Structure formats: structure tokens, C-alpha cells
Amino acid sequence: GSGTPRAPEPGPGPGPSMLRPQEYQRAVRLRDWLDSGAADAQSMDGIAQHMGCNASTLQSQFRQAFGKPIFEHLRESRLRRAAQAITAQGITMAQAAELAGYRSQANFATAFRKLFGFAPRNLRAKR
């Protein structure tokens, strides 16, 4: 996990105040599972089944807790893991694209730039 939990945002918007404690805990467990990489090949139904909840309820609770849809978080998580592998293991851009779930290196680079604000090749220069 990432360590300390984030404090809820004040006022309306995403955060645990919108959910019952057990719903928020489920959303946190789901986020941790998504970040682990174990859910990368799962469908929404598979994710919901794993979490013991129906898909629409799970989507709604996750969005309330974290302010974004499950698959947006999963895509960002995969991009973060690819970035980490580039810097830590020196993998190629093709390997990084595959790790992040992209068939096209160009699509991977575009998504990466959108999330991080710089091209994945710039990670190489920072080593």
C-alpha cells in the first residue's frame, strides 16, 4: 500500500464522509487490489465478484471515495507501475507499454504524458 491514508477533502466531493465506513473500507481494499496489479486482466464483473458486490454499487462507491471511475484508476495505476519499472528495472518502452496494457507505444506515450506531464522517454534521462 501507499502507507498513510489521505485525509478526506472538506465539504462536498470525494471522500469517506459520503460513504458508510464499511463501504469506504471496501473502496480502499479495491484501490489497493487495483494498485497491486492483480486486477489488470479482470472485467468489471470479475472485479465486482472479487469484491463481493454488484458492479454498479462498486462503481458508485469507488467514485464517491476517490472521485474517479474504477477503470480510470486502474489505467493510472498501470501507468505508474510502468513508470516505476522504467526507472527501477530499465525496461524498454515496448515493455513498459505492454506492462501498462497498451498495444501501441504511441498510445502508451500519449496516456503517460497526459498523466505525468512528460514523455516516458524522459524517465530514461533522469536515471
Side-chain angles (χ1 to χ4, degrees):
S2 60
T4 59
R6 290 179 213 107
E9 295 292 317
S17 61
M18 306 282 289
L19 299 168
R20 294 196 302 265
Q22 67 269 28
E23 293 169 342
Y24 184 69
Q25 287 308 313
R26 180 191 296 134
V28 169
R29 283 196 318 275
L30 174 56
R31 182 189 61 192
D32 291 346
W33 187 55
L34 296 173
D35 289 348
S36 77
D40 286 359
Q42 292 286 329
S43 66
M44 189 60 229
D45 286 340
I47 290 171
Q49 188 174 2
H50 176 83
M51 297 305 296
C53 186
N54 80 50
S56 61
T57 298
L58 198 59
Q59 279 279 24
S60 173
Q61 291 174 357
F62 192 87
R63 187 185 293 267
Q64 286 177 56
F66 303 114
K68 60 184 146 186
I70 290 169
F71 280 104
E72 181 179 329
H73 181 87
L74 183 58
R75 181 178 51 80
E76 291 174 0
S77 177
R78 292 179 78 168
L79 287 166
R80 282 192 295 276
R81 279 184 269 134
Q84 206 269 334
I86 292 168
T87 56
Q89 300 158 21
I91 65 172
T92 67
M93 289 304 128
Q95 290 168 319
E98 188 177 328
L99 180 65
Y102 289 85
R103 289 195 179 103
S104 156
Q105 285 185 55
N107 290 350
F108 165 69
T110 299
F112 190 99
R113 213 174 3 260
K114 192 172 174 184
L115 181 61
F116 295 110
F118 58 88
R121 69 176 180 274
N122 292 4
L123 285 176
R124 286 263 187 263
K126 293 178 180 180
R127 278 188 71 143

